[in-house]
Amino acid sequence: MKRAPVIVHPPCTGGRRVTLYGQDLGRALRRGDVAAYLRRAGFPTTEFTWDDTRLIEWRDGGPDVWSTP
């Protein structure tokens, strides 16, 4: 199975790490941060939805999970 180009890593102190094709883009505290990082990297954010598993992989929680339990 082909890996999604965008990975939002598990929540931890300081947000969730976001990578695009393995390159670290930064730590996000909300979906808007993820979108901003992707736009800055030149990724077309208008062409996917947050639950499109072909393009984005959410590890240990989906787009509504931003803090550790």
Side-chain angles (χ1 to χ4, degrees):
M1 180 179 207
K2 189 176 176 183
R3 188 175 219 175
V6 179
I7 297 176
V8 181
H9 297 266
C12 65
T13 303
R16 296 179 77 165
R17 190 165 59 99
V18 179
T19 57
L20 175 63
Y21 296 110
Q23 179 181 0
D24 193 358
L25 299 181
R27 294 202 177 263
L29 298 174
R30 58 191 154 282
R31 278 192 272 193
D33 295 339
V34 176
Y37 289 142
L38 294 175
R39 278 193 301 274
R40 279 188 231 136
F43 192 79
T45 58
T46 58
E47 297 182 17
F48 77 92
T49 60
W50 294 110
D51 60 349
D52 186 346
T53 57
R54 293 171 298 130
L55 297 176
I56 189 165
E57 178 183 335
W58 296 92
R59 294 190 177 166
D60 292 342
D64 296 322
V65 177
W66 295 97
S67 61
T68 56

